[in-house]
Amino acid sequence: MLLATPITNHTPMKKPHTALLLLALLLPLATLAQQSLTDINGRRELSASNYLAYPGPLQRQLTPAPEGYTPCYISHYGRHGSRFLIDTMDYVRPINILAKAEAEGKLTDMGCDVLDKVRAMYRESHKRWGELTLLGAQQHRDIARRMMQRFPEVFRDTAHVDARSTVVIRCILSMTNCLMQLQAMNPLLRISHDASDFDMYYMNQPDRSLDSVRRNSPTREILRQWDEEHLHPQRLIKVLFGSADYIADHREACRLYHELFQLASIVQNSEIRHRLSLYDIFTPEELYEVWQRENVRWFLDFGNSDLTGRRLPFSQRNLLRNIIATADSCLRQPVPGATLRFGHETMVLPLTCLMELDNFGKCINDVTTLESEGWLNYRIFPMGANIQMVFYRKPGAPVLVKVLLNENETRLPVTPVTGPYCRWDELRAYYLAKLNAYK
């Protein structure tokens, strides 16, 4: 399986686990072509795309820093933790369709079972639409704990931690849980935090121009054709209603198919996961096919492609500029500390592409090659997804930086000094040149 159990504690100078490091950094693209199918067959929750509950990092040990270097500052952007579905109709509409069929005597035994389960999910989430779950809170406590255990030098003594959140409550509570964990581990920390419209220009940047590119590009037709050719809801419709003709219109059948898949995916994020599952109504092939569709959709909406003028990752241009400017300011301090930001997957995904972490910034124009190119969305933006830039100092030497995506070391778009470590001045210059070239 691609995703493993959470890391154990480590000291900075231990030797890295070579096999895991090679898997994380050097997995051949030929292998990646089949990696997603293998992953999803091994762990069906991965098919949930952005509804995947945070799986914990793959790397058990990080690459030791070059001799004499110690971590001094962390710059972070993280998605909120696990949540309920945002819209009440995501629960109500499938319930209404299934309940109507039940009243007409058209619902099978499996259909009745599904209706009971979705009603139970509705009761659990009632008036909590989009809110952080208990699991989501724990995810951010665990991420904070590992961050401090991995980089204790950053959080020593009275170091300053500045945290910002979007104004959405699930993000604010994610930030709160992270900070509570850090404070519990070091009560001397000086912590400041805020959630204000003042910061939304970079924390969750609106951009009508790029929204228009996303809506009006040829990619909408690509996605429509993909649905026509690759989605096959008739089997499930027959299983639930006794006849594939109960919902004869393909688009309506696909809509219910997606809604039930979304419900199956979100179960893993709340306490109801201990009581029920909806994955068993889908075949392994269907789980993979729907994931493929979502992988394509998320790429077309936020990835780097000539189909959208290579523009969509630049939705996070203000965020990347803020990361650079804040790092420049903090690194002037003798004890820089940490800057933590809490937002959404619609920031983490394009920021990952804009920063060209691993292979995710590559321009891809044929969506059928996404998997062979290693563009697998569940590696980027599960619930609790995070990007950590870790800065290192050595007296009389250039500042180094490495970047963790979901707590795993990544490749960067400049030549490394060693392993995942790059010179900050070189990476900074690369990103600023890229940002300045954007029209």
Side-chain angles (χ1 to χ4, degrees):
M1 273 172 54
L2 174 67
L3 296 166
T5 54
I7 61 163
T8 55
N9 297 350
H10 85 292
T11 55
M13 295 309 294
K14 285 183 180 178
K15 293 182 179 180
H17 191 297
T18 304
L20 284 175
L21 187 59
L22 288 175
L23 177 63
L25 300 181
L26 301 173
L27 198 60
L29 293 183
T31 302
L32 285 169
Q34 293 300 316
Q35 188 66 46
S36 53
L37 179 58
T38 301
D39 291 344
I40 291 169
N41 283 341
R43 186 181 176 194
R44 56 191 182 182
E45 289 81 5
L46 297 177
S47 65
S49 297
N50 62 314
Y51 294 134
L52 172 64
Y54 193 68
L58 171 64
Q59 279 184 275
R60 295 179 181 274
Q61 297 177 357
L62 300 182
T63 305
E67 185 176 357
Y69 276 92
T70 57
C72 63
Y73 173 62
I74 292 176
S75 184
H76 155 283
Y77 191 96
R79 183 192 182 191
H80 58 76
S82 287
R83 60 165 171 80
F84 296 106
L85 293 178
I86 292 174
D87 191 339
T88 178
M89 293 306 296
D90 290 337
Y91 299 91
V92 171
R93 186 175 181 277
I95 288 174
N96 288 344
I97 293 172
L98 292 166
K100 180 176 181 291
E102 182 184 44
E104 296 171 348
K106 299 293 181 65
L107 208 58
T108 65
D109 289 344
M110 178 174 282
C112 291
D113 181 63
V114 170
L115 176 57
D116 288 342
K117 289 179 176 179
V118 178
R119 281 173 168 161
M121 293 174 64
Y122 175 82
R123 289 191 295 271
E124 183 198 36
S125 61
H126 183 60
K127 293 190 177 181
R128 292 186 178 276
W129 327 124
E131 290 185 8
L132 195 72
T133 64
L134 292 176
L135 179 61
Q138 187 62 50
Q139 288 161 354
H140 278 280
R141 288 177 176 271
D142 290 343
I143 292 167
R145 173 179 51 78
R146 289 190 292 265
M147 190 187 300
M148 185 176 279
Q149 289 171 343
R150 283 176 152 183
F151 311 110
E153 299 89 344
V154 175
F155 301 97
R156 72 180 189 275
D157 301 329
T158 59
H160 181 226
V161 176
D162 181 66
R164 305 294 172 95
S165 169
T166 68
V167 294
V168 178
I169 188 63
R170 59 182 173 271
C171 301
I172 296 172
L173 291 176
S174 294
M175 173 179 69
T176 300
N177 278 276
C178 172
L179 296 179
M180 289 174 64
Q181 181 67 40
L182 294 177
Q183 192 85 74
M185 296 175 73
N186 179 7
L188 298 178
L189 286 174
R190 295 177 296 116
I191 293 176
S192 58
H193 63 287
D194 197 11
S196 170
D197 282 329
F198 181 82
D199 292 312
M200 293 295 277
Y201 76 95
Y202 70 88
M203 288 291 292
N204 190 353
Q205 178 182 353
D207 193 317
R208 292 182 180 178
S209 175
L210 292 186
D211 287 344
S212 177
V213 169
R214 190 177 295 112
R215 287 193 305 268
N216 300 323
S217 72
T219 61
R220 299 307 92 185
E221 178 60 19
I222 291 173
L223 197 58
R224 188 196 66 78
Q225 290 180 359
W226 184 281
D227 285 354
E228 289 287 337
E229 296 173 9
H230 296 279
L231 291 185
H232 309 288
Q234 294 81 9
R235 185 207 64 83
L236 182 59
I237 299 300
K238 184 176 181 180
V239 166
L240 297 178
F241 302 101
S243 170
D245 294 331
Y246 183 81
I247 303 179
D249 182 87
H250 182 72
R251 299 181 83 173
E252 283 301 306
C254 282
R255 181 177 181 181
L256 179 61
Y257 190 61
H258 276 296
E259 289 170 339
L260 291 173
F261 184 82
Q262 179 177 242
L263 289 165
S265 298
I266 204 69
V267 166
Q268 62 189 285
N269 292 286
S270 69
E271 296 309 293
I272 209 167
R273 70 187 185 278
H274 301 300
R275 294 169 43 203
L276 62 84
S277 173
L278 286 173
Y279 274 133
D280 55 356
I281 70 173
F282 296 94
T283 67
E285 293 77 18
E286 288 167 346
L287 292 177
Y288 177 61
E289 287 171 353
V290 182
W291 170 80
Q292 279 188 310
R293 191 266 187 191
E294 290 302 289
N295 198 50
V296 169
R297 180 178 73 85
W298 281 101
F299 172 79
L300 294 176
D301 279 352
F302 294 101
N304 187 26
S305 176
D306 289 328
L307 297 167
T308 46
R310 303 193 182 195
R311 296 178 63 188
L312 296 182
F314 284 92
S315 66
Q316 301 313 303
R317 59 194 182 276
N318 284 350
L319 176 55
L320 184 53
R321 285 191 184 278
N322 176 267
I323 288 170
I324 293 169
T326 305
D328 287 345
S329 176
C330 289
L331 288 170
R332 295 190 188 101
Q333 307 300 317
V335 184
T339 302
L340 310 177
R341 307 169 185 86
F342 297 84
H344 308 269
E345 79 269 46
T346 47
M347 282 79 252
V348 173
L349 176 55
L351 180 62
T352 297
C353 297
L354 184 61
M355 294 176 68
E356 301 178 44
L357 304 183
D358 287 335
N359 206 42
F360 295 117
K362 184 174 183 178
C363 181
I364 302 173
N365 298 320
D366 181 356
V367 295
T368 65
T369 68
L370 287 178
E371 292 167 73
S372 63
E373 295 285 1
W375 211 97
L376 312 177
N377 63 17
Y378 52 79
R379 290 185 168 185
I380 307 174
F381 63 173
M383 302 287 188
N386 58 94
I387 295 172
Q388 299 176 26
M389 300 184 71
V390 188
F391 295 78
Y392 290 75
R393 277 179 173 164
K394 176 182 178 180
V399 172
L400 300 185
V401 63
K402 70 177 176 183
V403 180
L404 310 182
L405 175 60
N406 299 323
E407 304 177 82
N408 300 308
E409 293 171 342
T410 67
R411 295 183 302 273
L412 293 169
V414 297
T415 303
V417 173
T418 181
Y421 297 92
C422 299
R423 287 182 53 149
W424 169 234
D425 57 354
E426 293 180 358
L427 186 64
R428 178 184 183 278
Y430 181 90
Y431 285 150
L432 286 176
K434 182 175 183 176
L435 293 168
N436 292 335
Y438 176 72
K439 304 295 184 183

